[in-house]
Amino acid sequence: MIIARLIADPETLGDNLSLAMEMIEARDWEVAGAGMLDFCDDVLELEVVEGNPAGIRKILDQCFPDSDLLLSNGLIEVPSLFVSDMDSTMIEQECIDELADFAGLMDRIAAITERAMQGELDFESALRERVGLLKDLPETAIAQCLEERIRPMPGARTLVSTLKARGCHTVLVTGGFHSFADPVAELLGFDRVVGNRLGLHEGMLTGGLVGGIVDSSVKKKVLLEESERLGSEVFSLATGDGANDIPMIEAASYGIAYRAKPKARSAADGWVDRGDLTSILSLFGIARQDWVFD
């Protein structure tokens, strides 16, 4: 049984649903059920017997192009582990781009960031190149950047708080820097932070990094290690937006791409293109009355 849940424009929902069901049944797949969730009345759930997940995904993406969606090969369970990227996922900005603006290097660094996010450039090489351009920037610029420019993504704190209230272990894992990630994690309520460390000397950035690099392989490793620690039956959720997030998105029980680049979106079990991060709660069937607003 394949289960799809989606949130779409209510004004076109009926017509688009009819078209989707016709396309599914034209492939000789049976739609066993279709209706709005009782406890999340903006979420449509479809149950398809013996369908092909990739085919169903393609149909739903075509019929509901502006939607939030989660596709599962079975019952959808609230996760016990949540691992998320930070930049452009839990916060609205790319920290290194904002920091670069203080150094007058925004255009040069943003171009490297975008190529890395699209999967066109090796992550570690791109990271080291960008960090090198920040050499001799004062450490005080980090605090100033945090205060003036870094903002949580809408719904981020409610998402984390609500999952934690249900016993979910939460991890922020980023190819960015602890200097930003630690305060962000504290603000949003994450239990653990994994990130890179900027080299500092006498209050200035050295242009280097301290310790190992948090890349796509490390993100996946963190998810798998936390899953093993919590138990083999744990359901995990991973969210991200770029190519660097693909391995952990694919390794999770549920991988959701948030306002993501095409490659990350294609790798995920679902996406949020329409709403904010609280859409994830609705897709997991958590009623609004049970959300935790801190």
Side-chain angles (χ1 to χ4, degrees):
M1 176 77 73
I2 297 169
I3 302 219
R5 289 179 180 172
L6 63 91
I7 305 169
D9 184 351
E11 294 185 0
T12 60
L13 181 63
D15 290 341
N16 290 343
L17 174 59
S18 296
L19 176 60
M21 291 177 67
E22 288 177 8
M23 294 175 70
I24 290 171
E25 291 173 346
R27 297 195 181 192
D28 294 325
W29 300 333
E30 178 186 352
V31 178
M36 310 305 289
L37 294 184
D38 291 338
F39 32 86
C40 293
D41 58 10
D42 60 339
V43 180
L44 170 67
E45 181 172 277
L46 280 174
E47 298 179 2
V48 183
V49 179
E50 296 182 355
N52 177 280
I56 292 171
R57 173 198 173 101
K58 184 176 181 179
I59 290 171
L60 294 178
D61 199 9
Q62 180 180 339
C63 295
F64 301 94
D66 182 23
S67 65
D68 304 331
L69 177 140
L70 178 59
L71 198 67
S72 174
N73 287 316
L75 295 177
I76 295 175
E77 305 282 352
V78 175
S80 300
L81 171 65
F82 175 43
V83 180
S84 180
D85 176 44
M86 180 177 71
D87 292 2
S88 298
T89 304
M90 286 294 119
I91 61 174
E92 295 180 348
Q93 299 77 24
E94 292 285 330
C95 286
I96 194 168
D97 291 352
E98 299 299 332
L99 194 56
D101 202 28
F102 283 88
L105 298 166
M106 182 65 162
D107 291 343
R108 290 174 64 186
I109 286 186
I112 299 171
T113 300
E114 182 62 21
R115 290 180 63 199
M117 292 292 290
Q118 294 286 2
E120 299 172 1
L121 197 61
D122 171 72
F123 176 80
E124 180 172 349
S125 298
L127 179 63
R128 292 191 184 279
E129 183 178 350
R130 288 175 291 174
V131 171
L133 292 173
L134 298 175
K135 188 175 185 297
D136 296 328
L137 190 69
E139 184 180 6
T140 54
I142 296 174
Q144 185 178 353
C145 184
L146 269 166
E147 181 179 355
E148 295 180 3
R149 303 194 177 199
I150 305 305
R151 299 291 180 266
M153 195 67 75
R157 186 168 177 82
T158 298
L159 172 62
V160 176
S161 297
T162 303
L163 290 177
K164 287 183 66 176
R166 289 174 168 259
C168 184
H169 181 64
T170 58
V171 183
L172 187 66
V173 56
T174 176
F177 314 112
H178 273 280
S179 304
F180 289 95
D182 289 348
V184 167
E186 183 176 1
L187 175 66
L188 299 181
F190 278 90
D191 297 310
R192 181 187 174 194
V193 184
V194 179
N196 295 305
R197 295 190 182 276
L198 290 165
L200 295 166
H201 180 69
E202 295 182 350
M204 308 292 284
L205 272 64
T206 66
L209 294 164
V210 178
I213 300 293
V214 177
D215 60 9
S216 61
S217 65
V218 173
K219 289 186 173 187
K220 177 181 177 180
K221 182 180 178 182
V222 168
L223 184 139
L224 294 177
E225 288 178 345
E226 290 285 3
S227 295
E228 183 178 359
R229 183 182 66 82
L230 292 171
S232 60
E233 301 301 318
V234 68
F235 288 93
S236 58
L237 164 66
T239 59
D241 70 304
N244 194 40
D245 302 311
I246 290 175
M248 75 171 182
I249 284 174
E250 292 179 331
S253 307
Y254 310 104
I256 295 181
Y258 182 77
R259 307 290 173 97
K261 303 296 187 293
K263 288 184 178 180
R265 190 179 186 275
S266 295
D269 301 303
W271 54 78
V272 174
D273 291 340
R274 178 181 174 83
D276 64 24
L277 285 168
T278 59
S279 290
I280 295 174
L281 297 174
S282 296
L283 291 172
F284 278 101
I286 301 174
R288 186 179 179 86
Q289 66 192 39
D290 296 324
W291 295 0
V292 178
F293 299 94
D294 286 342

